[in-house]
Amino acid sequence: MEPLKIGIVGLGTVGGGVVKLLEKNKNLICQRAGRDILITAVCAHSKDKDRGFDVNVYEWFDNPLDLVKHENVDVVLELVGGADGIAYDLIKEAISQKKPIITANKALLATHGYEIAEIADKANVPVFYEAAVAGGIPIVKTIREGLAGNGIKEIYGILNGTSNYILSEMTKTKRAFDDVLKDAQEKGYAEADPTFDIDGTDAAHKLAILSTIVFRTKPNLHNIYTKGISEIKAKDIDFAKTLGYEIKLIAKAFSSGDTLGQSVTPCLIPQSHPLSSINDVLNAVLFEGDFVKYSLSVGYGAGEGPTASAVVADVIDSALGIYRPVFGVNTAELKDAKRVAESENMCRFYMRLPVLDKPGVIAEVASILKDEDVSIESMLQHGHDPGQSVSVVMTTHETAAANIYNAIEKISTLRFMTSEPCLIQIEDLTS
Amino acid sequence: MEPLKIGIVGLGTVGGGVVKLLEKNKNLICQRAGRDILITAVCAHSKDKDRGFDVNVYEWFDNPLDLVKHENVDVVLELVGGADGIAYDLIKEAISQKKPIITANKALLATHGYEIAEIADKANVPVFYEAAVAGGIPIVKTIREGLAGNGIKEIYGILNGTSNYILSEMTKTKRAFDDVLKDAQEKGYAEADPTFDIDGTDAAHKLAILSTIVFRTKPNLHNIYTKGISEIKAKDIDFAKTLGYEIKLIAKAFSSGDTLGQSVTPCLIPQSHPLSSINDVLNAVLFEGDFVKYSLSVGYGAGEGPTASAVVADVIDSALGIYRPVFGVNTAELKDAKRVAESENMCRFYMRLPVLDKPGVIAEVASILKDEDVSIESMLQHGHDPGQSVSVVMTTHETAAANIYNAIEKISTLRFMTSEPCLIQIEDLTS
């Protein structure tokens, strides 16, 4: 059989990892692909950068669109990233050239996934994207193929390694967020601009893709309630522990009738739950299917090795000529999902109120909660220091999110508040 | 596109589950398959048995080979089981008819897998068998496809739900093996004849299949050192706990040069290891790839729902016309693996010696261990009851298995032994 000729656009961490993996495990990979796999063309910003391998053995392109069109390229690896710009252009060009695409670009799929899928499905061109979600966990294959027959009500997990590392480190060392973030950047676990990782955007991109496959709905980032971890303090992690919880950034999607609830938000989860022990830069995805029941997958979500592993799995699939619609079903079957209104979202909450330690404080807070129909489950005051600032921690019974937001707004204006209150959802995850 | 017409041989727990799943999630499944899926023919022992669905809507065959040959059958589901006999015959017939096969038959693949793969690969007929190993975990897809680019040194896990349930229950309730087994049979977690589950054979079948895919070696049951759980006593679980371990039936394969070590055996594993918290009928598989690093999958390994889920995933793949060699690479690439000699296997051991509580006992035991070059790591005597039988528990440093077997044989003949000694491997699993 003819060798498969691949062109790689983007030779950063991911692209570089793919070149190294294709070299190191060439024999194994070609056996599984049933044919030889050749990198024939590459394209990146700078040809001269030291990447730990020799780019001169491949044909170099300055313009990615030229690479896509080149006759010596059967399959295009888009490893540039970014929701728009060159990644978007070259994927569309590859589809029009009927060349299979392999991408790690979650931002693009979460943003333009429907449009891309529509033209790719129409042209019968496969778009592979295992590397876009939790690279080290073959989760796209698992839900789009391995458990494809199952009706799934809920899927949730830890989808961002950087924020999971930061929360784990804060838990382990009791250091402050900023301090641990700096440390993570030095170790290469967080990027120079870590915004998307710590504000929940990266996890939301991934969740949008998983939701689309699982629930057969159009990807829609705007329907995901997204909150990051930068307001979490070491003391919140400590209080959570006292209450029997760990704090994790949880991405979650659940369907109920024709509505789809999707959120990425820090949560208190029970210490007994398997996700509570997923630490450092590990990712994990968990769901219940109507036939398979419980399913949990754990692995590294990012980094050169795991991401390259996912890209190369897709290279093998494309070498075997495997074709499936982008999101597992034809785009015509993807429905618009109604967002579950935030106000209807029922859950329990953790509140930390920094207040002056003086009589009457609890009474005022309790009165506001009563007015907003929020019922207190437990309360603890940390320390006793009359006239000084102390932390009052409360957990609520299940309540409409809108009510607690109203309450916390009123509470934050009370004159005895010494700084901003902290509000975190409690997720008593079902399995 | 034409509907896919499937014929099902075997309507027991698995076959029945498949019929139910194809009915319940028909819309979802056909969307993912890109075409309609019709059950056109069925075959089982008795037509009249109450199965919770109406078999009369499908064409009934008394002879499975007639079903295979029938023009209204595109794909054959072999859900009869058994290493030989009708399952073997009908799979070979289906291959000669160029009809894709979907099977849940681990015994057959572990025993005749190489022969089946050889003729199937030559004929370009796909054989799907996701349901053969840990049904609820799409582990075949994960290692054959999702992580296909990785070099893997070691794979291990809990592959038998029945024995895991028994060990978990013994741990939780401190009841005896026989008592818990009876209970498991009443609950439907163990079969009337539970031999293959509790003696390690079932897990060995599954391990043989996983090893073949991961290490590209011919499946060879005889190369798997297999030991069951029936000799484990509640007190061993208790002692293990005191030492910081849980007892699990661990299936493990590792390659080293041109040798392949494979074993299914009860092991003491550290309480801090993720597998130690996999309880009840759950299965789990863990391995390290050279690029993906750590990978862990957890789910239900058996039962109607999880197994049907795996079979239906294969039905969808076959509807999409997906083809891969049976074991991921052409059979010509599968090598004979040299078995790691038991005597060369280096590991630590737990020993429980039921002895008369009298002076000099430890000295005699220690002397035998010294002669066999076995070094003691720790020792504890449970209870003190002069002249009566007590348990002496020892753990060893790393030692050649052959030496400890020699030692235990000599020890068991000592006159102060009150019953058979118990020897269990300690596995300080690497990840």
Side-chain angles (χ1 to χ4, degrees):
Chain A
M1 206 171 177
E2 284 283 291
L4 181 80
K5 291 166 280 182
I6 65 175
I8 304 180
V9 182
L11 290 173
T13 305
V14 182
V18 170
V19 173
K20 288 177 206 163
L21 175 48
L22 286 172
E23 279 175 11
K24 179 172 180 238
N25 293 349
K26 187 175 178 56
N27 175 265
L28 166 73
I29 292 165
C30 293
Q31 279 188 14
R32 295 220 160 114
R35 57 204 278 203
D36 209 5
I37 290 170
L38 302 176
I39 301 172
T40 50
V42 295
C43 169
H45 269 304
S46 149
K47 192 172 177 182
D48 301 324
K49 204 172 139 187
D50 179 19
R51 296 182 165 90
F53 55 87
D54 183 9
V55 296
N56 293 306
V57 299
Y58 315 116
E59 189 164 355
W60 181 270
F61 287 82
D62 285 314
N63 182 342
L65 296 179
D66 291 340
L67 176 148
V68 172
K69 289 177 200 156
H70 198 268
E71 56 173 4
N72 253 342
V73 171
D74 301 326
V75 173
V76 178
L77 274 55
E78 182 281 296
L79 305 173
V80 205
D84 297 282
I86 192 61
Y88 175 82
D89 294 340
L90 81 88
I91 286 180
K92 286 185 77 167
E93 181 60 35
I95 295 171
S96 79
Q97 300 275 333
K98 298 248 177 202
K99 294 185 180 180
I101 294 132
I102 296 168
T103 176
N105 195 331
K106 53 220 154 205
L108 182 136
L109 287 170
T111 315
H112 302 295
Y114 184 75
E115 183 201 349
I116 299 288
E118 208 172 22
I119 56 171
D121 289 355
K122 198 166 283 169
N124 284 309
V125 173
V127 178
F128 299 94
Y129 52 93
E130 189 62 73
V133 186
I137 307 173
I139 190 68
V140 171
K141 219 173 235 303
T142 297
I143 58 176
R144 195 174 64 156
E145 308 174 22
L147 303 174
N150 283 266
I152 292 170
K153 281 258 178 237
E154 188 172 280
I155 178 166
Y156 56 89
I158 294 171
L159 295 179
N160 182 271
T162 305
S163 52
N164 201 43
Y165 174 81
I166 293 173
L167 291 175
S168 308
E169 275 298 295
M170 287 173 71
T171 306
K172 238 187 286 178
T173 64
K174 304 192 177 206
R175 282 185 298 158
F177 174 84
D178 291 330
D179 189 23
V180 174
L181 171 60
K182 229 171 105 182
D183 178 50
Q185 285 170 316
E186 276 161 20
K187 284 191 176 147
Y189 293 159
E191 293 179 48
D193 177 1
T195 314
F196 276 14
D197 288 320
I198 62 176
D199 76 358
T201 304
D202 175 79
H205 287 151
K206 294 165 182 169
L207 184 67
I209 296 170
L210 295 183
S211 284
T212 303
I213 302 171
V214 167
F215 302 110
R216 292 172 287 158
T217 52
K218 296 183 188 170
N220 189 339
L221 265 182
H222 306 295
N223 278 354
I224 304 179
Y225 172 77
T226 307
K227 196 178 158 184
I229 60 164
S230 55
E231 282 162 32
I232 308 286
K233 300 216 180 320
K235 66 173 98 174
D236 293 315
I237 293 174
D238 247 18
F239 286 131
K241 249 194 201 320
T242 309
L243 296 162
Y245 296 92
E246 300 286 338
I247 298 182
K248 295 286 180 189
L249 183 68
I250 299 291
K252 177 178 160 182
F254 63 96
S255 86
S256 165
D258 63 341
T259 61
L260 184 62
Q262 293 178 96
S263 60
V264 173
T265 177
C267 293
L268 274 69
I269 63 170
Q271 275 159 359
S272 59
H273 192 278
L275 290 190
S276 79
S277 57
I278 304 300
N279 291 320
D280 302 319
V281 290
L282 281 173
N283 280 197
V285 185
L286 208 156
F287 53 91
E288 281 179 85
D290 52 358
F291 276 70
V292 83
K293 290 190 274 184
Y294 179 90
S295 167
L296 166 68
S297 307
V298 182
Y300 287 97
E304 182 180 292
T307 314
S309 161
V311 170
V312 169
D314 284 344
V315 168
I316 294 172
D317 270 13
S318 75
L320 288 165
I322 286 179
Y323 173 77
R324 258 175 237 271
V326 178
F327 291 113
V329 300
N330 202 290
T331 36
E333 310 289 356
L334 299 179
K335 292 181 195 66
D336 281 306
K338 248 171 59 189
R339 176 176 180 157
V340 177
E342 210 39 38
S343 54
E344 285 169 26
N345 200 1
M346 297 293 294
C347 52
R348 294 170 55 219
F349 283 92
Y350 157 98
M351 267 188 300
R352 177 178 46 79
L353 310 176
V355 298
L356 286 180
D357 187 6
K358 59 178 209 165
V361 165
I362 306 291
E364 272 193 66
V365 169
S367 156
I368 290 173
L369 292 173
K370 177 179 159 283
D371 291 346
E372 295 295 339
D373 210 21
V374 173
S375 146
I376 301 170
E377 187 209 45
S378 73
M379 200 210 79
L380 60 101
Q381 181 179 324
H382 200 62
H384 177 47
D385 199 356
Q388 301 302 307
S389 181
V390 293
S391 292
V392 169
V393 169
M394 290 180 177
T395 62
T396 74
H397 284 293
E398 207 165 67
T399 180
N403 295 10
I404 194 99
Y405 295 153
N406 287 341
I408 208 90
E409 209 182 310
K410 286 185 193 168
I411 291 169
S412 64
T413 64
L414 294 175
R415 73 208 170 287
F416 53 69
M417 291 292 291
T418 56
S419 57
E420 284 297 299
C422 170
L423 182 71
I424 310 175
Q425 205 171 307
I426 300 176
E427 269 284 7
D428 292 303
L429 301 164
T430 49
S431 56
Chain B
M1 207 171 178
E2 283 282 293
L4 181 79
K5 290 166 284 180
I6 64 175
I8 306 180
V9 182
L11 290 173
T13 306
V14 182
V18 170
V19 173
K20 288 177 205 165
L21 175 49
L22 286 172
E23 278 175 11
K24 180 174 180 236
N25 293 348
K26 186 174 178 54
N27 174 266
L28 166 73
I29 292 164
C30 294
Q31 279 188 15
R32 294 221 161 112
R35 58 203 279 205
D36 209 4
I37 291 170
L38 301 177
I39 302 172
T40 49
V42 295
C43 169
H45 271 303
S46 150
K47 193 174 176 180
D48 301 322
K49 204 174 139 187
D50 179 20
R51 297 181 164 92
F53 55 87
D54 183 9
V55 295
N56 293 304
V57 300
Y58 315 117
E59 190 164 355
W60 181 270
F61 287 81
D62 285 316
N63 182 341
L65 294 179
D66 292 340
L67 178 147
V68 172
K69 288 176 199 155
H70 198 270
E71 56 172 5
N72 253 342
V73 170
D74 301 327
V75 173
V76 177
L77 274 56
E78 183 281 297
L79 306 173
V80 206
D84 297 281
I86 192 60
Y88 176 81
D89 294 338
L90 81 86
I91 286 179
K92 287 187 77 169
E93 180 61 35
I95 294 171
S96 81
Q97 299 275 334
K98 298 251 178 201
K99 294 185 180 181
I101 294 131
I102 295 168
T103 177
N105 196 331
K106 53 219 152 208
L108 182 135
L109 287 170
T111 314
H112 303 296
Y114 184 74
E115 182 201 348
I116 298 286
E118 207 171 24
I119 55 170
D121 288 355
K122 197 167 285 171
N124 283 308
V125 173
V127 177
F128 299 96
Y129 52 93
E130 188 62 72
V133 187
I137 306 172
I139 190 67
V140 172
K141 219 174 234 303
T142 297
I143 59 177
R144 196 175 61 156
E145 308 173 21
L147 304 175
N150 283 267
I152 294 172
K153 280 259 178 239
E154 188 172 278
I155 177 166
Y156 57 89
I158 295 171
L159 295 179
N160 182 271
T162 306
S163 53
N164 200 43
Y165 174 82
I166 293 173
L167 291 175
S168 307
E169 275 298 295
M170 287 173 71
T171 306
K172 239 187 283 178
T173 64
K174 306 194 176 204
R175 283 186 296 157
F177 174 83
D178 290 331
D179 188 23
V180 174
L181 171 58
K182 229 170 104 183
D183 179 49
Q185 285 171 316
E186 277 161 19
K187 285 192 175 146
Y189 292 160
E191 293 178 49
D193 177 1
T195 315
F196 276 14
D197 288 319
I198 63 177
D199 76 358
T201 304
D202 175 78
H205 286 151
K206 295 166 182 168
L207 184 67
I209 297 171
L210 296 183
S211 284
T212 303
I213 302 171
V214 167
F215 302 111
R216 292 171 288 158
T217 51
K218 296 183 188 170
N220 189 339
L221 266 182
H222 307 294
N223 277 353
I224 304 179
Y225 171 77
T226 306
K227 196 178 159 188
I229 61 164
S230 55
E231 282 162 33
I232 307 287
K233 300 216 180 318
K235 66 174 96 175
D236 294 314
I237 294 176
D238 248 18
F239 286 131
K241 249 193 201 321
T242 310
L243 296 162
Y245 296 92
E246 301 286 339
I247 299 182
K248 297 283 178 190
L249 183 68
I250 298 292
K252 178 178 159 182
F254 64 95
S255 85
S256 166
D258 63 342
T259 61
L260 183 63
Q262 295 178 94
S263 60
V264 172
T265 177
C267 293
L268 272 70
I269 63 169
Q271 276 160 359
S272 59
H273 192 278
L275 290 191
S276 78
S277 57
I278 305 300
N279 291 319
D280 303 318
V281 291
L282 281 172
N283 280 197
V285 185
L286 208 157
F287 53 92
E288 281 179 83
D290 53 356
F291 275 71
V292 82
K293 291 189 276 186
Y294 179 90
S295 167
L296 167 67
S297 306
V298 182
Y300 287 97
E304 180 180 294
T307 314
S309 161
V311 171
V312 169
D314 284 344
V315 169
I316 294 173
D317 270 12
S318 75
L320 288 164
I322 287 179
Y323 173 77
R324 256 173 239 272
V326 177
F327 291 114
V329 301
N330 203 290
T331 37
E333 311 288 357
L334 299 179
K335 293 182 193 69
D336 280 305
K338 248 173 55 191
R339 177 178 181 155
V340 177
E342 210 39 39
S343 55
E344 283 170 28
N345 201 0
M346 297 293 293
C347 51
R348 294 171 55 220
F349 284 91
Y350 157 99
M351 264 188 301
R352 177 178 47 78
L353 310 176
V355 297
L356 285 179
D357 188 6
K358 60 177 208 170
V361 165
I362 306 293
E364 272 194 64
V365 170
S367 155
I368 290 173
L369 291 172
K370 177 180 159 280
D371 290 348
E372 295 296 339
D373 210 20
V374 174
S375 145
I376 301 171
E377 187 209 44
S378 73
M379 200 212 78
L380 59 100
Q381 179 178 327
H382 199 63
H384 177 45
D385 197 358
Q388 301 303 307
S389 179
V390 292
S391 293
V392 167
V393 169
M394 291 179 174
T395 62
T396 75
H397 284 292
E398 206 164 71
T399 178
N403 296 10
I404 194 97
Y405 296 153
N406 288 341
I408 209 89
E409 209 182 310
K410 288 187 194 166
I411 290 169
S412 63
T413 65
L414 293 176
R415 72 209 171 288
F416 52 70
M417 291 292 292
T418 56
S419 57
E420 284 298 298
C422 171
L423 182 72
I424 311 174
Q425 205 170 306
I426 301 176
E427 267 286 6
D428 293 303
L429 300 164
T430 47
S431 58

